Amino acid sequence: MLDKLADVERRFEAAEADYQNPAVLADPREMQRLGKLRAELAPVVETTRAYRKALGELSQARDLLADPEMAELAREEIPGLESEIADLERLLKGMLVPKDPLDEKP
Protein backbone atom coordinates (compact mmCIF):
# COMPACT_ATOMS: atom_id res chain seq x y z
CA MET A 1 0.00 0.00 0.00
CA LEU A 2 2.84 2.42 0.81
CA ASP A 3 4.28 1.96 -2.69
CA LYS A 4 0.94 2.84 -4.23
CA LEU A 5 0.63 5.88 -1.98
CA ALA A 6 4.13 7.01 -2.92
CA ASP A 7 3.16 6.71 -6.59
CA VAL A 8 0.06 8.84 -6.01
CA GLU A 9 2.18 11.43 -4.22
CA ARG A 10 4.69 11.52 -7.11
CA ARG A 11 1.86 11.99 -9.62
CA PHE A 12 0.44 14.82 -7.52
CA GLU A 13 3.81 16.55 -7.25
CA ALA A 14 4.37 16.16 -11.01
CA ALA A 15 0.94 17.67 -11.68
CA GLU A 16 1.78 20.53 -9.31
CA ALA A 17 5.04 21.18 -11.14
CA ASP A 18 3.35 21.01 -14.56
CA TYR A 19 0.64 23.37 -13.34
CA GLN A 20 3.35 26.02 -12.80
CA ASN A 21 4.89 25.49 -16.25
CA PRO A 22 4.33 28.53 -18.52
CA ALA A 23 3.77 26.28 -21.55
CA VAL A 24 0.92 24.54 -19.75
CA LEU A 25 -0.59 27.85 -18.66
CA ALA A 26 -1.19 28.66 -22.33
CA ASP A 27 -3.15 25.43 -22.92
CA PRO A 28 -6.63 25.60 -21.34
CA ARG A 29 -7.36 21.91 -21.90
CA GLU A 30 -4.14 20.85 -20.20
CA MET A 31 -4.81 23.27 -17.33
CA GLN A 32 -8.26 21.75 -16.91
CA ARG A 33 -6.87 18.21 -17.00
CA LEU A 34 -4.18 19.06 -14.45
CA GLY A 35 -6.65 20.88 -12.23
CA LYS A 36 -8.94 17.87 -12.23
CA LEU A 37 -6.03 15.51 -11.51
CA ARG A 38 -4.82 17.70 -8.63
CA ALA A 39 -8.33 17.86 -7.18
CA GLU A 40 -8.59 14.06 -7.39
CA LEU A 41 -5.21 13.36 -5.82
CA ALA A 42 -5.06 16.10 -3.17
CA PRO A 43 -7.27 14.32 -0.57
CA VAL A 44 -5.25 11.11 -0.97
CA VAL A 45 -1.97 12.99 -0.59
CA GLU A 46 -3.19 14.88 2.48
CA THR A 47 -4.39 11.66 4.11
CA THR A 48 -1.12 9.92 3.18
CA ARG A 49 0.88 12.68 4.84
CA ALA A 50 -1.29 12.47 7.97
CA TYR A 51 -0.78 8.68 7.97
CA ARG A 52 3.00 9.01 7.73
CA LYS A 53 3.00 11.63 10.47
CA ALA A 54 0.98 9.36 12.75
CA LEU A 55 3.36 6.46 12.02
CA GLY A 56 6.30 8.67 12.97
CA GLU A 57 4.61 9.80 16.18
CA LEU A 58 3.85 6.19 17.07
CA SER A 59 7.49 5.26 16.51
CA GLN A 60 8.62 8.13 18.74
CA ALA A 61 6.13 7.15 21.44
CA ARG A 62 7.39 3.57 21.39
CA ASP A 63 10.96 4.83 21.68
CA LEU A 64 9.91 6.83 24.74
CA LEU A 65 8.80 3.63 26.49
CA ALA A 66 12.48 3.01 27.25
CA ASP A 67 12.72 6.33 29.12
CA PRO A 68 11.39 5.85 32.69
CA GLU A 69 10.34 9.50 32.94
CA MET A 70 8.38 9.48 29.68
CA ALA A 71 7.09 5.90 29.64
CA GLU A 72 3.74 6.70 31.26
CA LEU A 73 3.03 9.51 28.80
CA ALA A 74 3.99 7.24 25.91
CA ARG A 75 1.72 4.45 27.18
CA GLU A 76 -1.19 6.91 27.22
CA GLU A 77 -0.42 8.19 23.73
CA ILE A 78 0.12 4.87 21.94
CA PRO A 79 -3.49 3.56 21.87
CA GLY A 80 -4.79 6.81 20.39
CA LEU A 81 -2.10 6.79 17.72
CA GLU A 82 -2.76 3.14 16.88
CA SER A 83 -6.46 3.91 16.52
CA GLU A 84 -5.73 6.94 14.33
CA ILE A 85 -3.42 4.87 12.12
CA ALA A 86 -6.06 2.15 11.73
CA ASP A 87 -8.67 4.75 10.77
CA LEU A 88 -6.32 6.38 8.26
CA GLU A 89 -5.46 2.98 6.76
CA ARG A 90 -9.14 2.19 6.22
CA LEU A 91 -9.69 5.60 4.68
CA LEU A 92 -6.69 5.26 2.38
CA LYS A 93 -7.72 1.78 1.24
CA GLY A 94 -11.09 3.19 0.26
CA MET A 95 -9.44 6.08 -1.56
CA LEU A 96 -7.22 3.72 -3.54
CA VAL A 97 -10.13 1.73 -4.97
CA PRO A 98 -10.25 2.56 -8.69
CA LYS A 99 -13.14 4.80 -9.68
CA ASP A 100 -15.75 3.63 -12.12
CA PRO A 101 -15.22 5.51 -15.40
CA LEU A 102 -18.98 5.74 -15.80
CA ASP A 103 -19.34 7.76 -12.58
CA GLU A 104 -18.68 11.03 -14.41
CA LYS A 105 -21.18 10.40 -17.18
CA PRO A 106 -24.75 11.64 -16.93
Side-chain angles (χ1 to χ4, degrees):
M1 182 172 86
L2 290 177
D3 291 338
K4 203 171 211 179
L5 293 172
D7 181 49
V8 169
E9 202 163 11
R10 278 191 295 277
R11 287 178 45 213
F12 177 78
E13 289 168 0
E16 284 282 303
D18 288 346
Y19 204 72
Q20 305 302 322
N21 184 341
V24 172
L25 293 173
D27 184 355
R29 282 191 173 159
E30 184 64 7
M31 286 291 292
Q32 183 180 17
R33 185 190 73 78
L34 287 173
K36 187 175 178 181
L37 180 62
R38 287 173 58 215
E40 246 179 59
L41 298 179
V44 179
V45 171
E46 290 171 14
T47 306
T48 299
R49 291 176 179 164
Y51 177 70
R52 285 194 183 124
K53 181 181 178 219
L55 287 174
E57 290 174 359
L58 179 62
S59 176
Q60 289 176 347
R62 287 185 174 152
D63 290 344
L64 289 176
L65 289 173
D67 183 352
E69 294 177 11
M70 301 298 288
E72 184 61 34
L73 179 64
R75 274 193 282 284
E76 292 173 7
E77 196 173 308
I78 288 173
L81 288 169
E82 288 173 339
S83 174
E84 179 183 357
I85 289 168
D87 291 344
L88 288 168
E89 280 179 357
R90 277 191 294 280
L91 183 60
L92 284 168
K93 285 178 184 177
M95 291 175 151
L96 291 177
V97 172
K99 293 184 180 177
D100 186 347
L102 299 176
D103 281 348
E104 293 183 22
K105 298 198 180 217

